[in-house]
């Protein structure tokens, strides 16, 4: 479409309906980046379905872990609120009349998880206790005015739940917008609660579960970050209105309850009736997540030992955040389905069988390229090797067997791992780890029975007391009971036999087989010479060697040997299984690259070699590319300077490079134009913002270089 005109103008053309761009979905982005487009939609749907199931499981775990904490908090609110319900003018049954009931929630140092906990708490309180719930953050409340404004603004949004006439309170609302005070809040609360208790008005469906005269709950998410002066002023003001306004404070604490007394003076803290609540520790929360997601047979997707170690290391040494651990797990799921063409088989076994039967020749070739399958082929006879590499139908049959073996391996792996953990977790110094995740990582990475820690654990197990041994055996029996009719059924029967033998020992009171007391020990008490003493000691040594074991000791050795045989049979590393790449994600370096960001290295790479990010630029090695962005040119020029950089020399060098890019004259004697000067100033300002240079007082026309390699 062309337009001719004598004068200059602006012409607008409406796009035709045919040229409307369709919105791209997540599936489009997923499929677009796949190198092997075959079965791309199946891979995306399998990834989406698997993660939805894992996500729902994590949310259910979060609710179960928080349930006890929330129930205790609601019980505290009920006790604090009961007297205000009975005597509305005197709320002093459990506390003094000017005390504010306060719940101190110690949530731990995993601050990134607190947001999810407070959102869940707010929903529970809003559904079961009161519609008046306020969430406050320190960055939103730098002063008392902003804090009161935030409280009243959030509460005004709850008025729709209480169903009172908007026309009658129009003036009150407009006043609250200009004047924020707890006096206006108290009067608003009295009107709101009177409207709900009026017989002429009906309660809304959302307020049927609320208490009569519901309290106003103010939650301070990050107590340590609030200014002490702001907190003290708010508490003092609130205590004066506590008779007319049933307010409850909730403090979110990351470190220690002593922070309350460090922030508040004694006169202010005496206005609070504080009760302490402790949430579940983040390490216990992580153990539950690992147990329900990674050690569960409901999900076919698994992590390799190195990948799991990366996620746990980030958790233990960076943030203690279970939420970030779950995000890392989500990234692992997406990377596995995105990079592995055979991830279409990472699904329940019946569905995997159907998909495997419909494999094309290209997909069969993907199987042949797997390292575990190539190792299997090398161990076969020449005739079988040819058949595996040429016959697709035979390959499908063998692949089906391998997939079934993998699922059977996982079914037996988890219960035997739990049994081994029960035995090793009661040992002193925990040679194989105190948490099951430590033992799980050890079993994933190598043959655990070949390690020194495992050998020392067996030595300690051979010295266990009878009570501990019987209690641990009982736990193992409970773990293996669901597998009574399966492959582990024989192991269950054997453990039950050991329990019966130990119980019979208690009845029989069988003691050790005594050796005759013609004892060499007695001869030690007699007067003897050096030769006789040496002979007696040798006899004692031989007696100890030939000493017979008691019946308990022999059974205990049998138990330990049986557990050792189970470990060797059912706990080999997953790399020993053919086609383990189908279910296991092992790209630990990719995961570390995404989760353990190195901003300094990435920034240096982007500025020093912009072609690594901007594909339109050609990499020119160590030379300065004249077509690169201004900040990249300025950065590479500043690398050639010493500790102090002359701004005018830097500007001349910059102008020379820029003029070469534009095809202009590179003569340095020519005056630099204003546009080039402005571009240079902006580039230097950006470098100063990033922390590469700074102004210096030594020379006014110089800047100091802050990067490495300076003279």
């Amino acid at each position: 479409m062309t337009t001719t005109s004598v004068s200059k103008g602006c012409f607008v053309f409406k796009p035709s309906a045919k040229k409307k761009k369709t919105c791209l979905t997540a599936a489009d982005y997923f499929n677009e980046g796949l190198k092997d487009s075959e079965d791309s939609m199946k891979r995306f749907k399998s990834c989406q379905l698997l993660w939805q199931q894992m996500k729902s499981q994590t949310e259910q775990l979060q609710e179960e872990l928080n349930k006890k904490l929330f129930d205790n908090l609601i019980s505290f609110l009920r006790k604090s609120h009961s007297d205000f319900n009975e005597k509305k003018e005197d709320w002093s049954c459990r506390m003094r009349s000017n005390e504010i009931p306060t719940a101190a929630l110690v949530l731990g140092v995993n601050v990134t998880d607190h947001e999810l906990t407070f959102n869940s708490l707010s929903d529970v309180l809003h559904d079961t206790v009161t519609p008046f719930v306020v969430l406050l953050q320190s960055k939103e409340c730098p002063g008392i005015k902003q804090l009161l404004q935030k409280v009243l603004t959030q509460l005004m949004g709850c008025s729709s739940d209480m169903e009172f006439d908007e026309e009658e309170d129009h003036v009150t609302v407009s006043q609250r917008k200009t004047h924020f005070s707890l006096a206006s809040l108290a009067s608003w609360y009295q009107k709101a609660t009177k409207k709900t208790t009026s017989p002429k008005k009906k309660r809304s469906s959302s307020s049927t579960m609320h208490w009569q005269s519901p309290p106003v709950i103010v939650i301070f998410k990050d107590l340590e970050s609030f200014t002490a002066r702001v907190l003290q002023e708010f508490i003092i003001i609130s205590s004066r209105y506590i008779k007319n306004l049933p307010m409850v404070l909730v403090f979110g604490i990351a470190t220690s309850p002593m922070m309350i007394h460090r922030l508040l003076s004694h006169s202010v803290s005496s206005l609070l009736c504080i009760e302490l609540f402790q949430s579940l520790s983040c390490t216990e929360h992580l153990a539950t997540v690992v147990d329900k997601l990674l050690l569960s047979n409901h999900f076919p997707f698994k992590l390799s030992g190195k990948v799991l170690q990366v996620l746990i290391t980030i958790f233990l040494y960076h943030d203690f955040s279970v939420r970030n651990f779950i995000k890392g797990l989500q990234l692992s799921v997406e990377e596995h389905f995105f990079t592995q063409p055979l991830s279409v088989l990472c699904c329940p076994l019946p569905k995997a069988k159907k998909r495997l039967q419909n494999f094309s020749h290209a997909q069969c070739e993907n199987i042949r390229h797997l390292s575990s399958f190539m190792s299997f082929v090398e161990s076969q006879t020449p005739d079988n090797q040819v058949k595996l590499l040429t016959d697709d139908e035979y390959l499908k049959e063998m692949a089906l067997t391998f997939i079934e073996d993998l699922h059977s391996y996982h079914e037996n792996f988890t219960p035997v791992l739990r049994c081994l953990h029960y035995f090793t977790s009661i040992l002193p110094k925990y040679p194989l780890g105190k948490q099951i995740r430590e033992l799980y990582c050890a079993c994933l990475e190598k043959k655990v029975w070949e390690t020194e820690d495992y050998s020392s654990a067996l030595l300690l197990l051979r010295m266990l007391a009878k009570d501990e041994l019987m209690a641990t055996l009982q736990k193992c029996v409970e773990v293996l009971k669901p597998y009574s009719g399966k492959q582990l059924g024989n192991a269950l029967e054997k453990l039950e036999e050991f329990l019966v033998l130990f119980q019979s020992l208690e009845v029989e009171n069988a003691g050790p087989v005594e050796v005759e007391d013609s004892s060499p020990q007695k001869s030690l008490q007699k007067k003897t010479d050096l030769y006789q003493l040496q002979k007696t000691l040798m006899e004692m040594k031989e007696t100890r060697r030939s000493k017979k074991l008691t019946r308990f000791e022999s059974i205990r050795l049998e138990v330990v040997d049986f557990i050792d045989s189970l470990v060797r049979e059912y706990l080999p590393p997953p790399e020993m299984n053919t086609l383990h790449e189908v279910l296991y994600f092992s790209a630990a370096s990719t995961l570390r690259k995404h989760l353990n960001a190195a901003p300094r290295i990435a920034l240096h790479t982007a500025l020093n070699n912009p072609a690594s990010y901007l594909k339109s630029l050609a990499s020119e090695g160590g030379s300065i590319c004249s077509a690169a962005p201004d900040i990249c040119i300025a950065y590479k020029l500043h690398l050639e300077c010493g500790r102090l950089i002359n701004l005018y020399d830097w500007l001349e060098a910059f102008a020379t490079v820029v003029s070469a890019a534009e095809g202009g004259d590179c003569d340095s004697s020519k005056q630099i134009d204003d546009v080039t000067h402005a571009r240079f100033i902006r580039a230097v300002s950006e470098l100063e913002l990033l922390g590469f240079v700074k102004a210096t007082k030594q020379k006014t026309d110089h800047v100091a270089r802050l990067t490495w390699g300076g003279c």
Side-chain angles (χ1 to χ4, degrees):
M1 187 179 301
T2 59
T3 303
T4 57
S5 175
V6 177
S7 62
K8 294 182 180 180
C10 179
F11 303 93
V12 178
F13 302 99
K14 294 183 179 180
S16 60
K18 296 181 180 178
K19 294 184 179 179
K20 286 184 178 179
K21 293 183 179 179
T22 56
C23 295
L24 294 177
T25 61
D28 297 325
Y29 287 108
F30 186 90
N31 299 332
E32 183 182 0
L34 292 180
K35 298 178 181 178
D36 188 356
S37 59
E38 196 166 3
D39 279 339
S40 58
M41 188 53 67
K42 286 184 181 178
R43 286 160 67 178
F44 174 74
K45 289 183 177 179
S46 299
C47 175
Q48 206 172 28
L49 178 62
L50 175 64
W51 179 245
Q52 287 298 329
Q53 293 173 349
M54 298 179 80
K55 184 180 178 182
S56 62
Q57 181 69 35
T58 57
E59 291 174 352
Q60 183 180 351
L61 284 175
Q62 185 72 36
E63 291 178 1
E64 292 175 356
L65 293 175
N66 288 336
K67 187 177 185 302
K68 184 178 180 181
L69 175 66
F70 292 171
D71 289 346
N72 293 337
L73 181 59
I74 292 175
S75 176
F76 165 73
L77 295 176
R78 194 181 300 276
K79 293 176 183 176
S80 304
H81 185 258
S82 58
D83 192 60
F84 184 86
N85 239 359
E86 296 170 1
K87 304 176 182 179
K88 295 187 178 180
E89 294 182 357
D90 183 18
W91 192 17
S92 57
C93 177
R94 190 168 176 267
M95 58 198 74
R96 296 201 310 270
S97 59
N98 62 342
E99 281 188 344
I100 306 173
T102 305
L105 298 184
V106 182
L107 300 176
V109 295
N110 49 329
V111 181
T112 52
D113 294 345
H114 294 181
E115 185 70 24
L116 186 61
T117 303
F118 282 121
N119 290 339
S120 301
L121 175 62
S122 176
D123 294 338
V124 170
L125 295 177
H126 194 277
D127 293 339
T128 59
V129 178
T130 175
F132 309 128
V133 180
V134 180
L135 292 171
L136 299 177
Q137 281 186 303
S138 58
K139 62 182 181 181
E140 300 172 345
C141 307
I144 186 63
K145 180 180 178 181
Q146 290 82 359
L147 192 150
L148 291 175
Q149 181 179 1
K150 199 71 179 176
V151 170
L152 271 69
T153 303
Q154 290 192 32
L155 290 177
M156 284 165 55
C158 303
S159 59
S160 58
D161 290 339
M162 306 306 295
E163 284 193 356
F164 62 93
D165 194 356
E166 296 180 358
E167 295 181 359
E168 294 179 2
D169 295 274
H170 178 70
V171 178
T172 309
V173 172
S174 63
Q175 287 177 352
R176 272 191 260 114
K177 289 181 180 179
T178 57
H179 180 65
F180 296 99
S181 66
L182 285 185
S184 60
L185 177 61
S187 61
W188 171 84
Y189 176 83
Q190 295 295 331
K191 293 179 181 179
T193 52
K194 284 180 181 178
K195 293 292 181 181
T196 56
T197 56
S198 175
K200 297 181 181 180
K201 297 282 184 178
K202 294 182 179 179
R203 286 188 178 183
S204 63
S205 58
S206 61
S207 62
T208 53
M209 298 295 293
H210 296 155
W211 298 349
Q212 184 182 5
S213 300
V216 176
I217 301 177
V218 181
I219 301 176
F220 295 84
K221 291 183 179 181
D222 47 347
L223 181 73
E224 291 94 337
S225 301
F226 275 87
T227 308
R229 178 182 55 81
V230 175
L231 279 175
Q232 291 182 13
E233 289 181 6
F234 180 74
I235 292 171
I236 292 172
I237 296 172
S238 301
S239 65
R240 296 173 182 173
Y241 293 92
I242 195 65
K243 293 183 179 180
N244 301 320
L245 184 65
M247 183 176 290
V248 178
L249 304 182
V250 178
F251 291 160
I253 302 173
T255 53
S256 168
M258 291 302 296
M259 284 302 302
I260 299 176
H261 301 288
R262 291 177 185 174
L263 288 171
L264 306 177
S265 62
H266 177 70
S267 60
V268 176
S269 60
S270 62
L271 299 176
L272 304 177
C273 179
I274 304 174
E275 187 160 333
L276 186 64
F277 297 89
Q278 180 77 48
S279 69
L280 189 69
S281 68
C282 52
T283 52
E284 293 177 356
H285 190 179
L286 177 68
T288 308
V289 170
V290 172
D291 185 49
K292 298 298 182 181
L293 292 184
L294 302 182
L295 294 177
S296 172
N297 294 325
H298 299 296
F299 308 113
F301 174 79
K302 303 293 179 182
L303 298 178
S304 68
K306 291 182 179 179
V307 172
L308 181 58
Q309 196 64 49
V310 168
L311 292 178
I312 292 177
T313 301
I314 293 174
F315 173 85
L316 293 176
Y317 296 100
H318 287 79
D319 51 16
F320 284 104
S321 174
V322 179
R323 183 181 180 185
N324 289 345
F325 180 87
I326 295 172
K327 285 183 179 180
L329 181 60
Q330 181 183 5
L331 177 61
S332 303
V333 172
E334 293 174 354
E335 280 288 331
H336 177 68
F337 280 91
F338 184 76
T339 58
Q340 178 55 258
L342 295 173
S343 58
V344 290
L345 300 178
C346 187
C347 58
L349 185 58
K351 188 181 291 186
K353 291 180 179 179
K354 293 180 181 178
R355 291 182 176 179
L356 186 58
Q357 293 298 327
N358 298 325
F359 262 26
S360 64
H361 176 71
Q363 291 170 316
C364 291
E365 287 299 318
N366 289 331
I367 296 178
R368 294 187 176 103
H369 291 159
L370 293 178
S371 58
S372 61
F373 183 79
M374 294 170 67
S375 302
F376 172 75
V377 171
E378 291 173 358
S379 64
Q380 300 300 302
T381 60
D383 294 338
N384 204 20
Q385 287 180 356
V386 173
K387 201 172 181 181
L388 286 168
L389 297 176
T390 57
D391 190 350
D392 288 348
E393 293 301 323
Y394 181 69
L395 175 68
K396 292 178 185 178
E397 293 177 5
M398 294 301 298
L400 179 60
T401 304
F402 295 144
I403 295 296
E404 289 176 344
D405 292 343
L406 264 175
H407 283 267
S408 177
Y409 165 77
H410 292 147
E411 187 178 7
N412 299 327
F413 183 93
T414 304
V416 175
L417 180 75
R418 295 187 191 279
C419 292
L420 179 62
H421 174 65
Y422 286 142
F423 276 99
T424 57
S425 61
I426 61 175
L427 298 177
K429 296 185 179 180
Y430 309 106
L432 289 176
K434 185 177 182 180
Q435 303 286 342
I436 192 171
R437 55 176 168 79
E438 302 173 68
L439 179 60
Y440 183 46
C441 287
C443 293
L444 288 178
E445 291 179 354
K446 63 183 84 173
K447 295 178 181 178
V448 68
W449 57 86
E450 294 180 354
T451 61
E452 295 182 2
D453 294 334
Y454 181 81
S455 302
S456 60
L458 287 187
L459 291 176
L460 293 172
L461 286 176
R462 292 188 176 99
M463 295 185 286
L464 273 183
K466 183 167 63 176
D467 295 340
E468 291 179 328
L469 193 58
M470 290 182 66
T472 309
L473 280 175
Q474 187 61 47
K475 291 180 181 178
C476 295
V477 168
E478 296 297 327
V479 169
L480 296 180
K481 271 186 179 179
Y483 305 90
S484 58
K486 300 180 182 179
Q487 193 173 353
L488 290 174
N490 295 331
L492 175 63
E493 294 176 1
K494 190 69 176 174
L495 293 180
E496 290 175 342
E497 290 178 7
F498 286 135
L499 274 177
V500 172
L501 289 175
F502 282 126
Q503 291 170 359
S504 64
L505 286 178
E506 294 180 354
V507 177
E508 296 175 3
N509 290 324
V513 179
E514 295 183 0
V515 184
E516 288 186 6
D517 258 352
S518 58
S519 46
Q521 288 91 338
K522 288 187 177 181
S523 60
L524 286 175
Q525 301 173 2
K526 300 177 181 179
K527 188 175 181 180
T528 181
D529 55 10
L530 183 61
Y531 173 76
Q532 291 293 334
L533 178 62
Q534 185 179 7
K535 183 179 178 181
T536 304
L537 291 174
M538 291 296 294
E539 289 178 1
M540 289 175 62
K541 187 176 180 181
E542 292 296 329
T543 303
R544 287 175 182 170
R545 287 181 180 176
S546 61
K547 181 182 178 182
K548 293 183 179 180
L549 298 174
T550 64
R551 190 178 176 192
F552 165 71
E553 291 172 342
S554 61
I555 298 174
R556 180 174 60 185
L557 289 178
E558 289 181 18
V559 171
V560 175
D561 292 340
F562 179 71
I563 296 297
D564 182 41
S565 65
L566 288 180
V567 170
R568 295 173 184 269
E569 182 178 0
Y570 294 109
L571 296 185
E575 285 78 8
M576 297 181 66
N577 295 281
T578 310
L579 301 190
H580 68 272
E581 297 94 339
V582 174
L583 304 182
Y584 280 84
F585 176 69
S586 57
S589 58
T590 304
L591 195 67
R592 190 182 293 110
K593 178 182 177 182
H594 288 299
L595 298 181
N596 257 1
R600 181 174 178 177
I601 297 174
L603 196 59
H604 174 71
T605 304
L607 296 176
N608 193 47
N609 185 22
S612 59
Y613 291 93
L614 302 176
K615 304 302 179 185
S616 59
L617 294 177
S619 179
E620 299 185 5
S623 61
I624 300 176
C625 178
S626 56
D630 294 343
I631 187 174
C632 298
I633 297 173
Y635 176 79
K636 296 196 74 171
L637 288 172
H638 108 286
L639 291 178
E640 301 174 358
C641 301
R643 189 179 63 85
L644 293 178
I645 306 174
N646 187 301
L647 285 172
Y648 186 76
D649 294 341
W650 195 5
L651 171 61
E652 283 190 334
F654 179 83
T656 303
V657 176
V658 169
S659 60
E662 297 173 352
D665 188 8
C666 298
D667 187 9
S668 59
S669 62
K670 185 179 178 181
Q671 188 175 3
I672 300 171
D673 61 293
D674 293 340
V675 175
T676 304
H677 197 178
R679 290 169 60 183
F680 173 75
I681 292 174
R682 184 176 63 178
V684 173
S685 300
E686 290 173 348
L687 289 176
E688 185 178 7
L689 179 65
L690 293 173
F692 291 103
V693 295
K694 72 170 183 177
T696 177
K697 294 182 180 179
Q698 295 181 7
K699 294 184 179 180
T700 56
D701 57 344
H702 285 63
V703 292
R705 180 181 170 187
L706 301 177
T707 54
W708 55 93
C711 298

